Amino acid sequence: MSQVIEGHSHTRDLVESCDVCIVGSGAGGAVLAAGLTERGLDVVVLEAGGAFTSADFDLDESKAYSRFYQGRGTQATDDLAFSLLQGRSVGGSTTINWTTCYRTPDRILAHWAEHHGVEGVDSASMRPHFEAVEERLNIHDWPEELVNANNRVVLRGCRELGWEAHTLRRNVKGCANSGYCGVGCPVNGKQAMHRTYLPDALAGGARIYADVSAKAITWSGRRATGVDAEVLDRRSGRPNGIRVRVDAKVVVSSAGALHGPALLLRSGLDAGGKVGKRTMIHPVCAVTAVYPDPIRPWAGAPQSAASHQFVDRGEGKVGFFIETPPIQPMLGATGPKAFGEDMVAFMRHLENASTTLALCVDGLLPEDDGGVVTLRADGRPSLNYPTRPFLIEAIREAHMRMAELHVAAGATMISTLHATPTALAPDAIGTLADLPYGALEHTMFSAHLMGGCTMGTVVDSTHRFAEMDNLFVVDGSVFPSSLGVNPSETIYALARRATSFVADGVS
Amino acid sequence: MPLTRRTILKYGLAGAGLLAVGGVGLSLRGTIYRDPRRPLQTLSPRQFSTLAAIADRISPASGDAPSAWEVEVPEGIDELMSTKAPADAEELGMVLDLVENALVGLMFDLRATTFTGSSPATQDAVLAGMRTSSIAARRTMFHALRGLCCATYWSHPRAYAITGYRGPPDFGNVGVPAPIVATPPAPESTPEATP
Ligand SMILES: Cc1cc2nc3c(=O)[nH]c(=O)nc-3n(C[C@H](O)[C@H](O)[C@H](O)COP(=O)(O)OP(=O)(O)OC[C@H]3O[C@@H](n4cnc5c(N)ncnc54)[C@H](O)[C@@H]3O)c2cc1C
């Protein structure tokens, strides 16, 4: 069985040829690569990030974000209003994601069919794909007795208030419940792509190149001819001068949202100006609260409970769902805008602090077309994501509801991540209504990047790029809207569904 | 004004324009230099010194919490920038030049001194002013500087010790160096093993 080929092993330019060249080895690329090799096709996968194993995951935040994340962990929207977390290694974002798995809600699939002309992606036709990936990735309910204190806050607060709340399903096997999913699983418990579908693809004969970044897809007329790429030096992240050329019968972009659209734009493929449009991010805001007893928000599975009480807030309103993040000190420190003594005081409470996130469901209102990816001068993606009034309304509401949740769960102090630090007693949370909300008024972020090559516009319902016969996009960038649930399982299942379309493209 | 990186660049150019019309003496006034403990990779000595001053206001020594300087935050950021796209390092350098510039300080904060030459109280006021500035580009700059300084500082064991966090657990090396395929399966059961 072959292994991933790492960048440092190349001494000269490389020319490859194959049936299918897949750019990106994350949720979409990995499942697709495994499916295609199972059908006997010759597959090459190019991955800009490095190849890592549990031996590399020393759980040290000071190294992990710069090694395993896009932009060394500092990727953000154009105005820096939203930090954008996205993985960059063999396995893509699945290597460092928090393992929450949901099937796509029926109402979202119906919305895609009705408003975006998506065909054949309904719950009945998706069911076998969900079942197959759930089996391969061991996606199953996380028992309530293993839910950590941070997630128990969600369950307790919601139950107290009579709000909907549930435990989550996770793709883990032999999980040590340590809480470090976001910096790479040290015990191989997470059933991420580098542990599952990519080894399957390798066993099927795929060649996976790590540290190789695709510069452009080459094409002529309606046919893609291959991919031009360059080898990156893993430490500096910069090209080391060695070039890679892959000639392929079919090319697939699985580089994820932001970077997938950027690859197409760099290649001169913009689908009539549609590539990069409708980029969705599940805009996230957070509320932190201090409890009398220790929470230790750094320990235990990071996400194991959620509330969908407000996911559908009715016509004209943006919904949101509530989850939790893992709070190791570095990640926790990037949230508030405090500095100096205020910041030290904030961090001294960390052990007793619980943080909840509200993820806003963007792209469902008719007037909500999300953000736009364009290219920077150096060819990297730039995301302009405007914070429009309907989103600001949802963010305000989300702050107030999360504060209510924490009070019901027994918090003694509630803080928001506003520019002017706020710390409120439980009986003062009503004043949250008067605070300013929106870009740079408070910290916001996203770990769910979606859209930009939307199905129904940039690609058809078989993932085929509109202007080409043999170019496909198979990753989270094809979503026409956000989901209202965490996206990974939808991407796995769509990629499995896409396998036959891509295979047909070879012949 | 749209809040983009380009705005920061424009804002930088405006500063440069002012220098050209006679502010050179003021703008170059009195940087207090700090010596890096490792060779600098991306920042100039002036930019490094400005960053060191900012980092020490964002994370000053406080009780058992060390200062940013003690845990080498400015060197850490300089090193991080050497692994990012060159344009990012240039942007950071420009932001630091603007914060240090006394003329820009006079325009926005009514201080005719460099940032490094200002008192800690003035430095705090400058940072607080940037944080809530009505000019979006200044809020963006604060956010960028604070994020880099806090991430570097709070991932240091001496800093996070004050939070009650004891550092990551040690699981030993259950993997093997070869990428992906030769990695042994996860242990069937560990003391805390779960489904
Ligand atoms: C911290 C974090 C936590 C998350 N937690 C969850 C969770 O709990 N549940 C959930 O459902 N989702 C979660 N997600 C999101 C989920 O992991 C992603 O939505 C999903 O992995 C996206 O799949 P993808 O195939 O679109 O892209 P990715 O998985 O991101 O893979 C894209 C790959 O393409 C590579 N690439 C990009 N450009 C190029 C190029 N030019 N050349 C070569 N390679 C390139 C990238 O390096 C990357 O490895 C999380 C994400 C993050 C960052």
Side-chain angles (χ1 to χ4, degrees), chain A residues 25-112:
Chain A
S25 65
V31 175
L32 180 67
L36 293 173
T37 55
E38 199 179 310
R39 285 164 193 252
L41 294 173
D42 183 30
V43 174
V44 165
V45 179
L46 305 180
E47 168 55 55
F52 302 102
T53 69
S54 56
D56 300 295
F57 301 136
D58 64 6
L59 315 183
D60 179 351
E61 282 191 289
S62 71
K63 290 183 260 167
Y65 287 89
S66 66
R67 291 174 87 191
F68 312 135
Y69 282 71
Q70 287 287 0
R72 307 282 179 194
T74 65
Q75 189 172 253
T77 48
D78 218 11
D79 57 358
L80 306 195
F82 292 90
S83 298
L84 302 174
L85 293 174
Q86 208 175 17
R88 183 175 182 277
S89 69
V90 171
S93 302
T94 74
T95 309
I96 44 75
N97 81 9
W98 300 342
T99 73
T100 299
C101 290
Y102 280 96
R103 293 188 183 190
T104 328
D106 287 350
R107 73 167 182 132
I108 297 294
L109 297 179
H111 180 91
W112 290 359

Side-chain angles (χ1 to χ4, degrees), chain A residues 71 81 101 107 121 173 203 216 227 251 270 295 344 353 365 414 432 454-455 503:
Chain A
C101 290
R107 73 167 182 132
V121 190
K173 190 193 280 178
V227 177
V251 174
D270 74 350
I295 299 283
V344 175
L365 297 186
I414 319 293
L432 286 175
T454 55
M455 195 176 267

Side-chain angles (χ1 to χ4, degrees), chain B residues 42-58:
Chain B
T42 51
L43 299 174
S44 70
R46 190 165 187 254
Q47 290 162 350
F48 174 84
S49 303
T50 308
L51 180 60
I54 293 168
D56 265 354
R57 295 322 303 156
I58 288 178

Side-chain angles (χ1 to χ4, degrees), chain A residues 420-444:
Chain A
T420 306
T422 11
L424 302 171
D427 60 1
I429 59 171
T431 59
L432 286 175
D434 305 325
L435 293 182
Y437 293 92
L440 296 166
E441 299 288 0
H442 47 86
T443 303
M444 293 187 283

Side-chain angles (χ1 to χ4, degrees), chain B residues 98-186:
Chain B
L98 286 168
V99 174
E100 174 66 350
N101 190 306
L103 185 61
V104 175
L106 191 60
M107 280 166 58
F108 291 105
D109 308 310
L110 301 179
R111 60 165 165 118
T113 51
T114 55
F115 186 84
T116 58
S118 301
S119 68
T122 303
Q123 291 174 337
D124 284 351
V126 169
L127 291 173
M130 287 169 70
R131 181 171 63 179
T132 52
S133 172
S134 57
I135 299 169
R138 275 167 56 82
R139 295 206 302 273
T140 300
M141 287 193 234
F142 171 80
H143 188 70
L145 292 169
R146 186 200 168 282
L148 284 169
C149 291
C150 278
T152 312
Y153 177 82
W154 289 103
S155 58
H156 193 284
R158 281 188 59 200
Y160 65 57
I162 74 153
T163 68
Y165 178 69
R166 309 256 173 279
D170 183 4
F171 287 96
N173 183 355
V174 302
V176 295
I180 297 180
V181 289
T183 313

